[in-house]
Amino acid sequence: MKPAPFDYVRAESVEHAVATLAAAGSDGKIIAGGQSLMPMINFRLVRPAVLVDINRISGLDRIEDRGKHLRLGALVRHRMTASDAVIARDVPVLHAAMENVAHLTVRNRGTFCGSVCHADPSAEMPMLTLLLDGVVRIAGPNGEREIAAADFLTGSLTNALDPAEMVTAIDIAKPAPGTGWGFAEFARRHGDYALAAVSVLIERADGAARNVRVAVMGVGEIASRIVPAEAVLEGREPTAAVIAEAVAALRDDIEPMSDLSASADYRRHLAGALAAKVIAQAWERAA
Amino acid sequence: MTQADISVELRPKLVGSRVKRTEDPRLLTGTGQYVDDIKLADMVHVAILRSDQPHALIREIRVGDTSSVPGLIGIYDWTDLEGEVRPAIPTSRMKGYYATPYWPLARGKVRYVGEPVVAVVADSRYAAEDALGLIEIDYEPLPFAIRQVDAVREDAPLLHEEAGTNVIVERTFMRGDIEDAIASAPVVVRGQFRMTRKTATSMECRSYLAEYDTRRRALTLWTSSNIPGIIRDALSDALDLPGSRMRVVAPDVGGSFGGKGSLYHEEMLVCLLARKLERPVKYVADRLEELSSSSQAFDQLIDGELAVARDGTFLGLRCDVIGDIGAYSIYPWTGGIEPVQVISFMPGPYKIEHYHGRVRAVLTPKPPTGPYRGVGRPSSTFAMERLIDMAARELGMDPADLRRHNLVSDGEFPYRTAPGIIWDQSAFQQCLAGAREAIGYDGLRVWQEQARAEGRWVGIGISSYAELTGIGSRIAVAPGMPINTGTETAIIRIDSTGAVEASFGIASHGQGLETTLAQVIADELGCAMDDVVVLQGDSSLVPMSSGTYASRSAVIAGGAATQASRALKGKVLRMAAHVMAEPVEDLEAERGWIRSRTSNAGMTFKEVARAVYLQMGTIPRDIREDLTVTETYDPFLGTACSSTHICVAEVDRETFGVRLLKYVVAEDCGRIINPMIVDGQVHGAVAQGIGAALLEEIVYDDEGQLVTASLADYLLPLASDVLDMQIVHIEAELPNNVGGFRGMGEGGTIGAPAAIANAISDALAPLGLGIQTLPATPERLFQLIRPHLNTLEENTK
Ligand SMILES: Cc1cc2nc3c(=O)[nH]c(=O)nc-3n(C[C@H](O)[C@H](O)[C@H](O)COP(=O)(O)OP(=O)(O)OC[C@H]3O[C@@H](n4cnc5c(N)ncnc54)[C@H](O)[C@@H]3O)c2cc1C
């Protein structure tokens, strides 16, 4: 389990990283925390010719409070996201989700942006980015661009980056004050990738749910918003019956896969059970 | 007893106290030395191309252009080794048994995915792995039966044609008239039980380093093995070298749990290559290789039936077992090691008159099964303890009471079980009572009623078991196998500086035997513990050795240490008596001092050593004795070690996840040498049992491919899966062996899966469901429970 030979470049700046990727054609790869990339390289599932290390680029390791949204730089580690006071206060749903991400050593290295780039169908951060109207900020040979998370996450382990591009930061929206939230997941062991997870945001106005967002992971190709379930809840009071209706819509909408750890049937059941719980939770928390 | 004797008895002993492990300072500060830490000049590295076919003929092996791989030294397949090695053959007298030969590399045919086929030697492991990509093997696939139920059929494709069958072991144990017992019993419960395939996964992967000394024409193998003595004897035969030129050393070893307790292809391979190349050759398995080629465990299909009288008395037990032993009969234990133990131990610690146990061990294209902590008994205990709970439910009796009714009790020992195992006096009943009391069993049942009323699925599970430990020369794992597991030799010597050096054939790999044996020696010899160095894990220390396995070391090496220390103490006191001019009867030794009980005379061990070895003339030559002793101990039969586990578990109604809420172990391991180490063994083994009950599972798909090929898929228990457990030590009547020790290195893995399965079954009892397959994964529970829950079913639609 040793990697095939590769060249290694320690990027001094974003421009340097992008130029090195461009020079490598399509054989370059960014390494951030390395927590997903290194196992794949060691199994020789990925064989980059050039590894571009962004860990020494200054300025990328910050969580910036920009009023209506937060900007998470490409070197923000899971540990920082999990312990950031502004996130805990303004985006509690993300704070709660981070509890479930991996283990201490992985959290010390792994990055938020790396997780979104890696786009594992069972990873928390892609789901949270979708839930929080994430915008992915990208640097490439022709300058910068921004794209919505939903357009960035194109499928399991794939994203919308061109070979010479890198993600410099991800912006996530702070939910409006008083927004109720819920997050629940089930994994075989604490810190494992989840078999299923659901996150929900609900605003409350005149006794009805507004701006409802429901996102799931682990039950499809990639994390996704469940628009039919949101539609069921939108503008209604989430009574038990309404929640059951939303859960049914959710179960209808997802296409879970069967694999070693869980069948599609079980995943579908699980997603519904978790959704019922977190929708109720979010509604209760909504002010 | 005289006054003086009593004062000796009352002095604090090392045996029985929580002495800190003397191994830990080096291990915890990173100065332990594992095989991979050993770096020799000129050393080269091996990478292995393994079969990706479950069953196939090797048609051709082609190597591409290797000029792109700098540092490549050589590429070898079996044809390059012909004539240089004899196969290792795990012989046995078992009737109808076929012993599959073991070769370093597959010879013309592969029999499981992961079997070594080609060895690449290079100056780094990186280069060796790069060269693997240049090798192409043309296979001609052969038919195969991957599941044991198919492989036992008469028309199944044969893995070893020479055997003429896939069923290479078939044994039956019986007593009484089982047909009649079952036919006439008022209550009979039955089930088909299975603990799925598992593997040991120690933290250190298998690692080997061989060095050939051209001057002496001698080989040394450093191996992460727990049986260096057995490996030495096997390699000596395979390579045709006398023991004086074939040395096997197990340095610090990072766990085995049985997985490093058999001969491996690669141990033969590195020795052959080192001799061929005249350079040290190292091979270290990576995790993928560890999971796909180390010995595996369990995977018996057990059909069990228990016949019970109305009052709860067990009348008869029948079991029919098909053990999936993988592609080879493991060396030296044979493929019977796990499945035969299942029927040997199936009746457990209970009185059962009528018994019929039949086992077939069948070859399938998977890595061989071998010893795994608990050997056979985790599965037999799981099946038996489930049957007992099923019977209790049927009878409307409390499961704890039903066990109490049937456990062998004081006054009934020694008890001979139907398969012929003899339980010497052990605390069967006291363990059950002790565990009940510690967990507050009666109160728990009340709590359970309330929790059930709230709709919770909570259950209480019990398992009682006994194991035979410290087994002497009377009983072989497989009759007629080529090794002796029943004796242990201690050589203890005091040198001219007064240092005490004690050599054994055992091979500690985490058990702390350097500490516990030093405790025994210091007490028995009367020296200071700091002066004792325990040497082990090296075949050159004693003439014949095997290693550490089967809960034998504390019992057998402890017995040898006791005997040798007593003999050596006699010598020390006789020499001291002469120097001190005191009667030898008046002398006693303690913590390195020899004192007279009747005068103020005294001297140190060091002074005695000087007098014996250095001060010419102090001791007349006709009475002078060297301060060395060799003693071999053979406990002949073996001693029972018993335990009861009680566990409380809850199944989540929404996720079907299992949470363990409480855990108690009550155990009798005889005289405890070091309670801290005993606790550690229990904690670790229960953690492994939790893994077997809830998480760990090796899966092969229908194509014969390993699906659980990394630790992301083969799930080991994490710290967050292991709960705080309470341990009750019961030192009942001591066994009739030297030292009074019982073996206790395995137990937790035996008791925990059954207790957890019973707790989950108890939780699901209101639904009329129970566990028959472990691990009880959320997926399995979902599939089990869903059809029985109308409301849930509606939700799921
Ligand atoms: C034992 C273990 C358990 C884990 N459990 C979880 C879990 O429960 N939940 C979870 O979400 N994750 C889990 N992970 C994964 C972990 O969160 C990873 O850190 C994360 O998925 C990837 O982040 P990274 O910084 O390590 O990325 P890397 O491994 O460095 O890179 C991953 C991929 O993203 C690309 N990439 C990284 N950064 C950039 C960038 N700025 N621009 C462009 N491309 C980039 C890389 O080229 C690579 O393709 C676990 C990992 C391990 C080892």
Side-chain angles (χ1 to χ4, degrees):
Chain A
M1 223 183 272
K2 303 281 187 225
F6 57 82
D7 286 333
Y8 169 86
V9 175
R10 179 187 290 162
E12 305 297 338
S13 62
V14 169
E15 295 72 34
H16 183 203
V18 168
T20 312
L21 285 176
S26 52
D27 290 335
K29 205 106 186 81
I30 298 277
I31 181 164
Q35 297 305 293
S36 296
L37 185 58
M38 280 318 296
M40 294 198 298
I41 288 183
N42 285 343
F43 274 114
R44 301 194 179 210
L45 294 172
V46 180
R47 295 182 178 218
V50 185
L51 213 52
V52 183
D53 182 350
I54 61 169
N55 282 280
R56 301 291 175 94
I57 300 178
S58 61
L60 296 182
D61 59 348
R62 278 178 223 148
I63 299 174
E64 281 175 62
D65 187 348
R66 301 173 73 97
K68 285 206 171 343
H69 66 265
L70 293 170
R71 175 162 298 171
L72 281 71
L75 292 175
V76 169
R77 315 285 169 179
H78 301 335
R79 196 181 145 74
M80 293 169 64
T81 314
S83 59
D84 186 80
V86 177
I87 290 179
R89 187 193 64 209
D90 292 347
V91 198
V93 67
L94 175 57
H95 181 76
M98 293 309 292
E99 272 278 289
N100 299 276
V101 176
H103 319 282
L104 192 65
T105 45
V106 175
R107 297 218 282 237
N108 282 340
R109 285 184 171 271
T111 63
F112 190 97
C113 292
S115 171
V116 174
C117 289
H118 184 60
D120 189 292
S122 298
E124 287 82 358
M125 284 153 275
M127 175 177 77
L128 269 298
T129 305
L130 285 172
L131 185 80
L132 298 165
D133 283 339
V135 173
V136 182
R137 300 176 57 84
I138 297 166
N142 309 319
E144 303 210 342
R145 65 181 178 122
E146 290 185 354
I147 84 176
D151 299 324
F152 182 80
L153 296 164
T154 50
S156 175
L157 304 182
T158 55
N159 62 41
L161 285 179
D162 287 335
E165 288 182 321
M166 70 169 272
V167 170
T168 54
I170 292 173
D171 290 348
I172 52 167
K174 293 182 189 173
T179 303
W181 61 275
F183 172 90
E185 82 164 51
F186 183 70
R188 294 287 304 277
R189 304 171 301 182
H190 183 85
D192 279 355
Y193 280 117
L195 298 184
V198 183
S199 52
V200 173
L201 294 178
I202 298 179
E203 292 171 28
R204 185 196 279 255
D206 309 325
R210 300 279 173 204
N211 276 333
V212 179
R213 280 139 198 279
V214 178
V216 298
M217 66 186 231
V219 290
E221 269 276 286
I222 185 71
S224 59
R225 290 260 301 266
I226 306 295
V227 179
E230 297 175 351
V232 168
L233 297 165
E234 193 65 38
R236 296 164 76 188
E237 187 192 339
T239 58
V242 171
I243 290 176
E245 211 182 304
V247 164
L250 180 144
R251 281 182 170 141
D252 255 359
D253 193 50
I254 57 178
E255 282 174 32
M257 53 279 172
S258 284
D259 61 19
L260 191 64
S261 31
S263 64
D265 278 355
Y266 172 50
R267 281 202 156 94
R268 178 171 278 118
H269 158 80
L270 204 52
L274 298 175
K277 184 164 120 185
V278 291
I279 293 169
Q281 235 173 35
W283 177 245
E284 211 158 276
R285 283 182 180 131
Chain B
M1 237 183 229
T2 66
Q3 192 63 34
D5 284 341
I6 288 168
S7 72
V8 174
E9 282 307 309
L10 292 180
R11 281 214 190 98
K13 296 267 191 203
L14 287 163
V15 169
S17 37
R18 303 177 75 87
V19 175
K20 280 192 184 158
R21 303 195 338 157
T22 54
E23 293 90 340
D24 286 346
R26 73 169 188 266
L27 298 179
L28 297 178
T29 56
T31 50
Q33 196 179 47
Y34 300 88
V35 173
D36 199 25
D37 294 320
I38 303 173
K39 296 187 171 67
L40 302 177
D42 259 354
M43 187 170 80
V44 296
H45 299 264
V46 184
I48 294 175
L49 188 62
R50 295 174 180 276
S51 169
D52 57 9
Q53 298 284 317
H55 191 204
L57 295 176
I58 302 171
R59 278 282 168 244
E60 198 191 341
I61 298 175
R62 282 190 305 274
V63 180
D65 174 17
T66 56
S67 59
S68 64
V69 182
L72 179 66
I73 291 166
I75 297 180
Y76 307 89
D77 63 33
W78 65 279
T79 58
D80 301 305
L81 307 175
E82 283 298 276
E84 294 177 28
V85 60
R86 282 197 292 257
I89 300 177
T91 52
S92 165
R93 284 195 310 266
M94 286 184 290
K95 208 170 114 242
Y97 166 68
Y98 174 75
T100 57
Y102 258 80
W103 296 90
L105 293 172
R107 269 173 110 238
K109 177 169 162 172
V110 292
R111 296 183 176 88
Y112 64 92
V113 171
E115 182 167 3
V117 183
V118 183
V120 176
V121 180
D123 62 11
S124 78
R125 176 68 178 250
Y126 289 85
E129 291 197 18
D130 290 344
L132 290 183
L134 305 173
I135 304 169
E136 262 182 71
I137 305 178
D138 272 353
Y139 288 110
E140 180 184 326
L142 297 170
F144 60 89
I146 191 77
R147 314 275 167 228
Q148 71 244 69
V149 285
D150 300 322
V152 287
R153 295 166 49 141
E154 296 243 324
D155 57 351
L158 297 182
L159 220 44
H160 293 262
E161 292 83 3
E162 308 78 10
T165 170
N166 288 326
V167 180
I168 60 162
V169 175
E170 180 159 11
R171 299 191 75 179
T172 304
F173 297 137
M174 49 184 144
R175 180 163 84 183
D177 185 347
I178 188 66
E179 297 303 332
D180 181 61
I182 287 177
S184 59
V187 172
V188 179
V189 286
R190 19 181 97 82
Q192 186 177 70
F193 303 95
R194 173 187 217 134
M195 292 182 75
T196 55
R197 212 167 184 85
K198 188 177 186 309
T199 189
T201 49
S202 7
M203 219 183 276
E204 178 203 30
C205 295
R206 294 189 291 112
S207 313
Y208 311 117
L209 167 62
E211 182 184 37
Y212 185 64
D213 179 343
T214 48
R215 200 172 46 87
R216 291 177 49 236
R217 292 178 302 124
L219 268 167
T220 303
L221 171 70
W222 286 269
T223 167
S224 60
S225 176
N226 57 287
I227 52 164
I230 291 172
I231 300 302
R232 196 278 304 267
D233 290 358
L235 291 174
S236 163
D237 283 345
L239 305 173
D240 203 12
L241 284 173
S244 52
R245 285 166 47 213
M246 180 74 244
R247 178 180 170 205
V248 175
V249 182
D252 285 325
V253 173
S256 161
F257 314 108
K260 294 171 180 163
S262 303
L263 175 70
Y264 279 96
H265 305 289
E266 298 90 343
E267 286 175 306
M268 303 168 95
L269 181 68
V270 291
C271 287
L272 280 167
L273 293 174
R275 189 162 70 172
K276 211 180 198 31
L277 297 166
E278 299 188 354
R279 292 178 75 172
V281 175
K282 181 186 273 185
Y283 166 76
V284 177
D286 59 34
R287 189 56 71 183
L288 173 61
E289 294 180 294
E290 187 72 26
L291 289 168
S292 61
S293 69
S294 291
S295 67
Q296 302 182 340
F298 300 170
D299 214 352
Q300 294 95 23
L301 203 58
I302 305 176
D303 277 301
E305 267 179 299
L306 178 66
V308 190
R310 273 273 158 243
D311 71 349
T313 306
F314 297 163
L315 301 172
L317 175 67
R318 175 156 62 191
C319 60
D320 195 332
V321 178
I322 310 176
D324 178 337
I325 61 168
Y328 291 89
S329 178
I330 199 130
Y331 187 96
W333 315 108
T334 84
I337 180 167
E338 273 244 345
V340 175
Q341 293 256 68
V342 172
I343 59 164
S344 300
F345 286 92
M346 186 80 184
Y350 303 102
K351 290 171 284 183
I352 302 177
E353 195 43 45
H354 303 278
Y355 178 67
H356 189 279
R358 172 194 183 212
V359 65
R360 285 170 291 168
V362 59
L363 297 164
T364 62
K366 303 189 187 99
T369 55
Y372 171 78
R373 195 177 196 178
V375 189
R377 290 156 299 197
S379 296
S380 67
T381 304
F382 166 56
M384 183 66 192
E385 294 296 307
R386 282 296 302 122
L387 286 170
I388 295 176
D389 269 25
M390 289 161 75
R393 182 147 291 276
E394 196 76 25
L395 292 163
M397 221 170 140
D398 182 278
D401 293 338
L402 182 58
R403 285 174 173 81
R404 188 179 56 202
H405 185 76
N406 288 284
L407 282 170
V408 180
S409 301
D410 292 358
E412 295 170 330
F413 295 105
Y415 179 84
R416 189 186 169 90
T417 70
I421 288 163
I422 292 168
W423 297 133
D424 61 345
Q425 175 102 26
S426 178
F428 292 7
Q429 290 284 8
Q430 296 85 336
C431 285
L432 176 62
R436 269 182 87 144
E437 189 191 316
I439 205 159
Y441 184 78
D442 299 332
L444 270 180
R445 287 285 177 207
V446 176
W447 163 84
Q448 182 185 27
E449 278 313 308
Q450 292 159 356
R452 273 184 175 158
E454 293 161 19
R456 290 170 69 185
W457 291 340
V458 293
I460 304 163
I462 308 176
S463 84
S464 292
Y465 64 88
E467 49 177 331
L468 195 62
T469 67
I471 300 169
S473 63
R474 177 65 214 289
I475 301 167
V477 171
M481 63 181 181
I483 57 163
N484 165 21
T485 54
T487 63
E488 186 62 45
T489 300
I491 300 178
I492 308 186
R493 44 182 231 176
I494 300 175
D495 70 12
S496 56
T497 69
V500 182
E501 205 176 67
S503 302
F504 295 89
I506 56 154
S508 186
H509 45 284
Q511 294 86 348
L513 286 158
E514 289 172 36
T515 307
T516 45
L517 290 174
Q519 288 177 257
V520 171
I521 292 166
D523 273 0
E524 293 291 343
L525 181 57
C527 65
M529 186 162 153
D530 280 350
D531 290 339
V532 183
V533 169
V534 171
L535 301 177
Q536 47 90 37
D538 184 340
S539 68
S540 66
L541 292 170
V542 294
M544 189 292 292
S545 63
S546 55
T548 287
Y549 50 89
S551 301
R552 69 187 293 275
S553 296
V555 183
I556 315 187
T562 304
Q563 286 182 339
S565 299
R566 285 175 186 167
L568 185 55
K569 182 179 182 180
K571 289 188 172 193
V572 170
L573 294 185
R574 285 194 290 280
M575 296 303 102
H578 181 84
V579 178
M580 291 158 74
E582 294 275 342
V584 70
E585 310 79 61
D586 286 359
L587 299 187
E588 62 179 42
E590 200 207 348
R591 297 193 188 181
W593 273 90
I594 297 132
R595 284 200 183 77
S596 167
R597 293 191 191 90
T598 51
S599 76
N600 285 333
M603 68 190 294
T604 63
F605 270 55
K606 186 170 178 152
E607 286 163 347
V608 178
R610 281 175 175 277
V612 169
Y613 292 116
L614 304 177
Q615 294 162 357
M616 295 191 288
T618 300
I619 302 174
R621 66 174 185 169
D622 54 337
I623 66 160
R624 182 185 169 282
E625 297 177 68
D626 267 348
L627 302 179
T628 66
V629 162
T630 301
E631 282 282 337
T632 295
Y633 177 56
D634 176 359
F636 199 55
L637 279 175
T639 183
C641 174
S642 56
S643 174
T644 293
H645 292 213
I646 302 183
C647 162
V648 182
E650 174 159 17
V651 180
D652 189 293
R653 291 188 68 129
E654 302 293 345
T655 64
F656 303 97
V658 173
R659 211 151 59 89
L660 304 181
L661 306 178
K662 269 180 193 245
Y663 208 100
V664 165
V665 176
E667 58 86 42
D668 168 25
C669 69
R671 193 157 151 245
I672 294 175
I673 301 174
N674 187 328
M676 189 156 60
I677 285 180
V678 170
D679 285 352
Q681 289 288 326
V682 173
H683 292 155
V686 169
Q688 278 186 301
I690 292 172
L694 300 176
L695 295 162
E696 296 176 53
E697 183 171 4
I698 288 274
V699 180
Y700 283 86
D701 65 15
D702 292 339
E703 276 72 53
Q705 298 291 333
L706 173 66
V707 190
T708 45
S710 83
L711 294 185
D713 294 316
Y714 186 80
L715 303 184
L716 293 162
L718 305 177
S720 47
D721 298 303
V722 179
L723 73 173
D724 200 10
M725 60 195 94
Q726 193 184 341
I727 302 174
V728 182
H729 297 292
I730 294 166
E731 292 186 55
E733 187 107 341
L734 294 184
N736 190 17
N737 60 19
V738 174
F741 312 126
R742 304 178 193 273
M744 57 75 49
E746 300 172 83
T749 59
I750 301 173
I756 294 167
N758 275 340
I760 298 170
S761 302
D762 189 40
L764 302 180
L767 304 170
L769 299 172
I771 298 297
Q772 304 212 353
T773 305
L774 291 180
T777 61
E779 173 71 37
R780 282 207 174 92
L781 292 176
F782 171 70
Q783 299 296 352
L784 178 74
I785 297 168
R786 187 172 59 155
H788 298 261
L789 269 188
N790 301 333
T791 46
L792 188 67
E793 239 181 11
E794 275 163 28
N795 284 344
T796 326
K797 267 179 199 145

